[in-house]
Amino acid sequence: MSDADRRRGLAAFADVMQFTPPDVPGDLFLDTTIEHLFGAVWARPGLGIRERRLVTLTLLMTLGNEMTLRLHFGAAMKSGDLSDTEIDELILHVAHYGGWPLAAVASQVVRQLRTERASGT
């Protein structure tokens, strides 16, 4: 990809994830994540970041991956894209359609993030 595509991907990554990606020159997976996932997919005009975030969080909850949930819920909380009330409602909604145990994992992740936010860590 071009330098402009990479810059667009880096900007989208920072906007969505609320941190700068690690600098790992030549890392094929990271480069593809930045250039394609963020530069081409997240940056598309059809949906805004908030809508993409809701879809992403829903899918991640149904997969139950705590580490990825932590990254994306943390980004949603830092960016202000979703309020605490909206996050709680999303988790409750997914509990009924995706499964209670999976939503319980998401709820625990959010509880931990809120504790960290309150303590300033």
Side-chain angles (χ1 to χ4, degrees):
M1 292 199 138
S2 71
D3 286 341
D5 291 336
R6 181 151 181 88
R7 282 192 300 275
R8 183 176 62 242
L10 287 168
F13 183 101
D15 196 28
V16 171
M17 299 309 297
Q18 298 291 296
F19 66 90
T20 303
D23 184 17
V24 185
D27 184 300
L28 179 62
F29 184 79
L30 182 59
D31 289 345
T32 302
T33 299
I34 291 166
E35 293 167 5
H36 179 70
L37 177 59
F38 288 94
V41 176
W42 276 88
R44 290 181 57 81
L47 295 172
I49 289 176
R50 176 183 160 76
E51 291 79 18
R52 290 183 194 280
R53 193 176 300 287
L54 285 166
V55 171
T56 301
L57 285 167
T58 299
L59 289 167
L60 292 174
M61 279 189 272
T62 62
L63 294 172
N65 184 304
E66 287 183 49
M67 185 176 80
T68 311
L69 279 171
R70 182 174 178 73
L71 287 172
H72 280 273
F73 271 124
M77 292 166 77
K78 283 181 185 174
S79 69
D81 286 338
L82 299 172
S83 68
D84 285 353
T85 300
E86 290 170 322
I87 289 170
D88 292 341
E89 287 297 324
L90 176 62
I91 292 170
L92 186 60
H93 196 77
V94 169
H96 288 82
Y97 284 93
W100 208 265
L102 294 170
V105 171
S107 183
Q108 178 62 32
V109 167
V110 167
R111 238 185 328 304
Q112 290 169 349
L113 287 168
R114 288 177 179 158
T115 298
E116 290 169 12
R117 180 181 64 190
S119 68
T121 58

